[in-house]
Amino acid sequence: MKISIIGMGAMGLLFGSIITKNCGPESVEFLMDDARYEKNCGKKFTCNGEQMDFRMTKFSDATPADLVIVAVKATGLEDAIKGMKNAIGENTAIISVLNGISSEQMIGDVHGYRNVVYCVAQGMDAMKFDNELTYSKIGEVRVGLTEKVDPQIYKNAVSILEKTGINFIEEEDIHRRMWGKFVQNVGFNQTCMVYGITCGESMIEGSVAFRTLIAAMREVVAIAHAEGIPLSEADINQYIELASTFNKDGVPSMAQDRINGRYSEVESFAGTVIKYAKKHNIYVPENEYLYKRVKEIEAEY
């Protein structure tokens, strides 16, 4: 079994550490461009204080894998899609654990939808600063059979996930689950970044941040309905309850971006909400506000 991961951020290191522990270091490699290879090769990474040695491979030296996990930031997805071509064989399953609802389409447009297993990663509270990964919740991935993926490739992906020790659940309606996770990301990620607060602080009822969070999530529910996805207030409640189990002092990925001075996934979140809102003539003032504030914050880097 050969698994290739693209992206050495919090999500990539989390999955890499799980696979290494359960399947051995020879089962997993990190793929990257030449510049990142020169930067990362030989570096020591720690996962919850435990040192991990990961195998790294240049895109140009990659060979077909059984499973490719795409775990880059949305801002690096286009480069990753181009770079990973040597790792994609006829029967390679591709899983994207990116936030948002568009990465599968972008990958499928280039490498073919028959290889793309639609996936949602949720419930993890991993944070990475420098070369150190910390987390208290390992979370899970949700996968589902779609009309475009090859059924045998989907079965192979499920079999591989069983061996890796990654928690996973098969969804009957993966599209609905993806939109549900989108609700959470649009609310929590953007709110924590804009206000510079932790997950716990974002959920203080009565606060401006909590009102922003809920309003942004409800706007996603509205555009989901316009797209034929039956989300409701119950989905918002579900993700609020899930977030309440996270480390209250932790911060989601966009808030980590602000701390590290990196450009964020705002185009995948508020940017996508605004695009769908224009399509369906729906008002989304909270996401328009969040989009504007994130851009102002990033302009100060």
Side-chain angles (χ1 to χ4, degrees), residues 46-116:
T46 61
C47 302
N48 275 352
E50 180 181 355
Q51 184 172 303
M52 306 288 289
D53 293 318
F54 297 117
R55 185 158 53 99
M56 303 178 197
T57 304
K58 295 179 181 179
F59 281 140
S60 56
D61 295 330
T63 56
D66 298 301
L67 173 66
V68 170
I69 300 176
V70 183
V72 296
K73 297 285 292 182
T75 51
L77 180 57
E78 289 187 9
D79 289 339
I81 290 173
K82 294 175 185 176
M84 69 187 197
K85 62 181 180 179
N86 290 343
I88 311 302
E90 182 179 356
N91 296 312
T92 301
I94 307 170
I95 288 178
S96 168
V97 295
L98 272 73
N99 293 321
I101 54 176
S102 58
S103 62
E104 282 82 4
Q105 181 177 346
M106 293 174 65
I107 295 168
D109 285 346
V110 175
H111 295 294
Y113 284 91
R114 68 180 295 273
N115 295 82
V116 180

Side-chain angles (χ1 to χ4, degrees), residues 193 254 257-259 261-264 297-301:
M193 180 187 185
M254 279 184 67
D257 290 335
R258 181 174 181 173
I259 294 169
R262 290 194 304 251
Y263 291 99
S264 71
I297 291 167
E298 292 179 345
E300 295 174 357
Y301 290 165

Side-chain angles (χ1 to χ4, degrees), residues 58-214:
K58 295 179 181 179
F59 281 140
S60 56
D61 295 330
T63 56
D66 298 301
L67 173 66
V68 170
I69 300 176
V70 183
V72 296
K73 297 285 292 182
T75 51
L77 180 57
E78 289 187 9
D79 289 339
I81 290 173
K82 294 175 185 176
M84 69 187 197
K85 62 181 180 179
N86 290 343
I88 311 302
E90 182 179 356
N91 296 312
T92 301
I94 307 170
I95 288 178
S96 168
V97 295
L98 272 73
N99 293 321
I101 54 176
S102 58
S103 62
E104 282 82 4
Q105 181 177 346
M106 293 174 65
I107 295 168
D109 285 346
V110 175
H111 295 294
Y113 284 91
R114 68 180 295 273
N115 295 82
V116 180
V117 176
Y118 277 51
C119 171
V120 173
Q122 64 179 38
M124 53 279 295
D125 59 359
M127 297 188 296
K128 175 180 175 274
F129 295 103
D130 295 324
N131 298 333
E132 298 180 1
L133 173 75
T134 58
Y135 60 89
S136 64
K137 299 290 184 180
I138 202 169
E140 65 188 13
V141 297
R142 302 286 183 102
V143 295
L145 186 64
T146 58
E147 63 279 359
K148 294 182 179 180
V149 69
D150 184 309
Q152 187 57 52
I153 290 178
Y154 175 80
K155 290 180 181 178
N156 292 345
V158 170
S159 177
I160 292 170
L161 288 173
E162 288 176 341
K163 296 173 184 176
T164 63
I166 295 172
N167 296 330
F168 78 96
I169 295 174
E170 293 187 73
E171 285 277 347
E172 290 187 12
D173 187 349
I174 189 62
H175 294 292
R176 187 182 189 283
R177 175 60 62 180
M178 291 177 73
W179 274 87
K181 175 67 185 306
F182 188 51
V183 168
Q184 182 191 36
N185 280 325
V186 166
F188 280 93
N189 255 298
Q190 299 186 129
T191 299
C192 288
M193 180 187 185
V194 164
Y195 292 101
I197 57 178
T198 66
C199 289
E201 289 169 333
S202 73
M203 290 193 293
I204 298 174
E205 295 188 23
S207 67
V208 173
F210 187 70
R211 295 200 301 270
T212 298
L213 183 154
I214 296 297

Side-chain angles (χ1 to χ4, degrees), residues 211-223:
R211 295 200 301 270
T212 298
L213 183 154
I214 296 297
M217 295 171 87
R218 284 175 173 155
E219 290 174 357
V220 178
V221 171
I223 64 170

